Amino acid sequence: MPKLKTNRGAAKRFKKTSTGKVRRRKAFASHILTKKSTKRKRNLRTSTSVGKTNSKAIKKLIPYA
């Protein structure tokens, strides 16, 4: 079987954990931060896991991660 190509955009956005889950960053944290509360910005800094519905598709995009 030939080697699979990694989707480079997905590789920059997602990481696979040791348990097999997919980690992602949260949206809305890059600009227009003045109107967002300190608590909201602090919560946006933490990464979270991808939901079950999307994780299967993302794992296909990053086969060797």
Side-chain angles (χ1 to χ4, degrees):
M1 202 165 100
K3 285 197 252 180
L4 298 171
K5 281 204 171 183
T6 299
N7 182 294
R8 297 313 295 162
K12 291 167 189 173
R13 288 172 172 83
F14 304 104
K15 296 277 179 278
K16 241 189 256 184
T17 62
S18 57
T19 57
K21 293 179 182 177
V22 183
R23 301 291 288 174
R24 67 169 176 87
R25 283 199 56 199
K26 289 182 183 172
F28 309 109
S30 57
H31 62 98
I32 315 175
L33 298 170
T34 50
K35 62 178 79 169
K36 292 167 190 162
S37 68
T38 310
K39 181 181 178 180
R40 185 175 167 194
K41 288 187 278 190
R42 185 169 60 246
N43 288 331
L44 288 171
R45 282 202 295 265
T46 62
S47 61
T48 184
S49 58
V50 174
K52 277 192 289 187
T53 51
N54 295 320
S55 62
K56 190 176 179 183
I58 291 167
K59 283 177 186 175
K60 283 183 181 178
L61 295 175
I62 48 172
Y64 305 109

